[in-house]
Amino acid sequence: MLTAKDQPNFVLWNLQVLTDRFNSGSSSPCSDLSTYCGGTFKGIIAKLDYIQDLGANAIWISPIPVNTPDGYHGYWAMDITTINPHFGSKTDLLNLVSACHARGIWVMLDVVANHMGNQRYGDWTNFTFFKPFNDQSHYHPYCQIKDWDDQEQVEVCRLANLPDLDQSNSFVRSTLKTWVEEQVKTFQLDGIRIDTVPEVPKTFWYEYTQSSGTFNIGEVFNGDVTYVAGYQGPLEALLNYPMYFSLKDVFQNKQPMTEIHNTLQSESSAFKDVTVLGMFLDNHDNARFLHNQGDVVLLYNGLAYILFSQGIPIIYYGTEQGFNGGNDPANRESLWPHFYQNNQIYK
């Protein structure tokens, strides 16, 4: 496990990699973005020169458990005890981390503790195919999130109809904490990115992040500065969604720069530490910057801001090649065969 002390004058910036979409070794782009395209841990290893030459010194990879069908993204866990064979083996992942560390590149793993994968339609009480959470008592009673202003509903009901784990159940709570601790130790991970943070009570996150024993940054998909800042404490860092929405307004929609100033002012008083907030223009949950604004100069300006402002810059794979996909899954293109290091954005 690397630390900032391993590299003098270390400044972290992170490349977000969807494991299934980064490199399959194929010369033809993926034709069906709704299912597996063939990217692997070995594929990432083969393109570490590309990552390092881009300037990234950290990568964020997809969740690793076996998923329910078509869970190429990793967020539909079926068996958290087994690595998704579509991505490779345990040895392949160990080799990826080792190869990254040999180059001074940190590895951050995406993790999910809120929910499991899809069930058969209408069979909402059957959990027998999940491992190890195979009993109905491991989940909250069936309900869907309909009111995002109702925090209790957000925490106990289903997001996108995915079975909602009950972290107050002692088995669920202890298993999730032990699991994350084991992954970090086994694979010598340098950090974790935590999915769907507001959907789980803060009391659990205090314990979970402590169990991980490593840097953690969480997703609170919300533009309200005060709401997002409330999760810094249970978590070390958050993705800076309030600033993402401000940058979108300014650089995509050409709104006044004062919006960035106002967000900075609000964040400086609301967050405990603004220097660890994740800064981004693109990610896997939103249409790409160039989909909504085709002026590449405005993209350059936005990238310059996140690279040189306070916080941790996070570049979504494909941005450096000018990808312009729309909403999921169109924004999850296969990077191959577009490893063009002469692309002006890459440079």
Side-chain angles (χ1 to χ4, degrees):
M1 186 182 301
L2 295 178
T3 69
K5 294 180 181 178
D6 295 323
Q7 296 172 304
N9 304 315
F10 183 79
V11 177
L12 180 70
W13 84 259
N14 195 318
L15 182 69
Q16 181 189 355
V17 172
L18 287 193
T19 303
D20 181 64
R21 301 298 157 90
F22 193 74
N23 183 30
S24 71
S26 173
S27 59
S28 301
C30 183
S31 60
D32 183 0
L33 298 181
S34 67
T35 189
Y36 288 96
C37 289
T40 63
F41 300 134
K42 288 182 177 179
I44 299 173
I45 294 172
K47 291 298 180 180
L48 288 180
D49 282 344
Y50 175 90
I51 292 172
Q52 197 162 38
D53 290 345
L54 181 62
N57 49 19
I59 59 171
W60 151 14
I61 63 174
S62 304
I64 57 176
V66 169
N67 269 224
T68 54
D70 297 328
Y72 65 88
H73 40 66
Y75 299 108
W76 295 345
M78 183 170 71
D79 177 2
I80 71 169
T81 68
T82 305
I83 289 180
N84 192 332
H86 288 278
F87 299 162
S89 66
K90 177 180 178 180
T91 298
D92 294 337
L93 181 52
L94 286 167
N95 289 342
L96 170 60
V97 176
S98 178
C100 286
H101 285 175
R103 295 169 177 255
I105 297 173
W106 292 13
V107 180
M108 182 168 72
L109 176 66
D110 207 327
V111 296
V112 184
N114 172 64
H115 58 266
M116 296 295 280
N118 288 312
Q119 295 170 286
R120 299 177 188 88
Y121 185 81
D123 196 8
W124 311 132
T125 59
N126 180 11
F127 304 96
T128 56
F129 53 91
F130 292 123
K131 186 176 181 179
F133 307 121
N134 58 4
D135 189 83
Q136 189 169 353
S137 66
H138 299 152
Y139 300 85
H140 290 120
Y142 185 90
C143 60
Q144 298 274 7
I145 302 174
K146 295 181 178 179
D147 182 0
W148 288 92
D149 293 324
D150 183 339
Q151 187 60 35
E152 181 179 2
Q153 187 179 128
V154 170
E155 292 177 2
V156 303
C157 293
R158 294 182 174 211
L159 170 69
N161 205 29
L162 295 168
D164 198 75
L165 288 165
D166 182 359
Q167 291 79 17
S168 69
N169 178 288
S170 59
F171 174 74
V172 173
R173 197 178 195 92
S174 62
T175 300
L176 289 171
K177 287 161 42 179
T178 299
W179 181 87
V180 74
E181 179 182 10
E182 289 177 348
Q183 305 316 300
V184 171
K185 289 181 177 178
T186 298
F187 298 108
Q188 291 293 291
L189 300 169
D190 307 292
I192 55 173
R193 179 269 188 185
I194 303 176
D195 188 60
T196 50
V197 168
E199 286 82 354
V200 178
K202 294 175 182 176
T203 51
F204 172 76
W205 292 130
Y206 279 107
E207 298 176 19
Y208 186 83
T209 56
Q210 185 175 15
S211 294
S212 75
T214 191
F215 173 77
N216 54 86
I217 186 169
E219 175 208 31
V220 180
F221 196 149
N222 195 298
D224 185 287
V225 171
T226 302
Y227 183 79
V228 177
Y231 287 92
Q232 192 174 48
L235 277 72
E236 183 174 353
L238 286 310
L239 295 172
N240 197 341
Y241 258 106
M243 185 58 77
Y244 162 77
F245 289 115
S246 292
L247 296 178
K248 184 176 179 179
D249 284 344
V250 171
F251 293 115
Q252 284 187 339
N253 303 325
K254 302 182 180 181
Q255 297 300 306
M257 291 285 287
T258 52
E259 183 172 343
I260 294 176
H261 170 78
N262 294 338
T263 302
L264 283 171
Q265 292 293 102
S266 297
E267 292 187 342
S268 66
S269 59
F271 285 96
K272 296 177 176 66
D273 184 359
V274 294
T275 67
V276 294
L277 301 180
M279 302 290 292
F280 61 99
L281 285 181
D282 287 329
N283 68 19
H284 60 297
D285 287 326
N286 297 279
R288 289 184 181 269
F289 184 100
L290 290 177
H291 178 78
N292 297 313
Q293 172 54 261
D295 187 343
V296 72
V297 174
L298 292 174
L299 173 64
Y300 291 156
N301 288 334
L303 289 172
Y305 183 85
I306 68 170
L307 286 168
F308 292 103
S309 65
Q310 60 189 6
I312 301 172
I314 300 174
I315 309 296
Y316 183 43
Y317 85 99
T319 297
E320 79 283 2
Q321 296 295 340
F323 283 10
N324 61 359
N327 292 326
D328 165 22
N331 58 350
R332 302 174 179 183
E333 309 95 322
S334 60
L335 185 57
W336 67 87
H338 306 288
F339 295 100
Y340 304 134
Q341 293 184 252
N342 61 349
N343 184 293
Q344 196 61 41
I345 306 174
Y346 180 95
K347 292 179 179 179

